């Protein structure tokens, strides 16, 4: 069966076996993705700055640690808050997410390291990367990782 997207969880907070929520509008999904992206940026920034300036780690070492934490947050936020109408299990989605995010993160880290090594401020670089990548992340998440139920 299918359930409406908002406020539909029964007591206990889980869907009945075989039930899926219907997706929200693309605009709603994108707005949520932007909100999660801003939260993720805050986590990435706080961890990177905290480890770099508070713990004395090089910012090129602090940033990957922050990315792992932010990526974990993003996966569960996407799975449970944004792209709810999927018929794949946690493992299948986690594998697609991990594959996509590892490729994406390698590319982002390479750009980050190159720009910071060229002399750019690492905090400004963090914000610029986040702003440019949000649309790409949304498209990959929506159409590859958290595909609509029945979409193959």
């Amino acid at each position: 069966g299918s359930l409406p997207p908002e406020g539909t969880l029964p007591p206990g907070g889980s869907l009945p076996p075989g039930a899926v929520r219907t997706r929200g509008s693309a605009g709603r999904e994108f707005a949520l993705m932007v909100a999660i992206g801003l939260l993720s940026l805050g986590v990435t920034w706080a961890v990177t700055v905290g480890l770099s300036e508070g713990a004395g780690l090089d910012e090129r070492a602090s940033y990957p640690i922050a990315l792992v934490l932010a990526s974990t947050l993003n996966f569960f936020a996407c799975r449970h808050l944004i792209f709810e109408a999927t018929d794949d299990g946690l493992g299948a989605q986690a594998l697609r997410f991990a594959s996509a995010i590892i490729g994406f993160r390698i590319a982002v880290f390479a750009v980050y390291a190159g720009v910071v090594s060229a002399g750019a401020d690492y905090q400004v670089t963090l914000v610029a990367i986040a702003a440019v990548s949000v649309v790409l992340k949304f498209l990959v998440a929506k159409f590859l990782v958290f595909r609509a139920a029945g979409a193959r």
Side-chain angles (χ1 to χ4, degrees):
S2 184
L3 300 174
E6 300 292 333
T8 60
L9 289 181
S14 62
L15 295 173
V20 294
R21 290 183 176 178
T22 56
R23 282 184 177 246
S25 70
R28 176 186 172 275
E29 290 172 342
F30 185 74
L32 285 170
M33 188 81 157
V34 169
I36 296 302
L38 290 172
L39 177 61
S40 179
L41 173 61
V43 168
T44 302
W45 181 83
V47 171
T48 302
V49 172
L51 291 176
S52 297
E53 297 184 16
L57 288 177
D58 184 273
E59 59 269 9
R60 287 172 293 251
S62 301
Y63 186 59
I65 294 167
L67 288 179
V68 169
L69 293 173
S71 295
T72 302
L73 169 72
N74 289 344
F75 173 75
F76 285 104
C78 284
R79 179 173 167 76
H80 295 290
L81 300 175
I82 302 172
F83 305 110
E84 301 163 338
T86 62
D87 56 3
D88 292 334
L90 176 69
Q93 286 179 342
L95 182 60
R96 285 195 307 269
F97 183 85
S99 298
I101 206 68
I102 288 169
F104 186 79
R105 293 296 188 189
I106 288 170
V108 166
F109 180 71
V111 170
Y112 170 84
V115 171
V116 169
S117 293
D121 181 87
Y122 74 96
Q123 293 182 43
V124 172
T125 303
L126 287 172
V127 174
I129 286 172
V132 170
S133 65
V134 69
V135 173
L136 294 175
K137 288 179 187 178
F138 175 75
L139 294 173
V140 168
K142 182 173 180 69
F143 295 109
L144 298 176
V145 176
F146 302 99
R147 307 183 279 239
R152 293 286 172 251

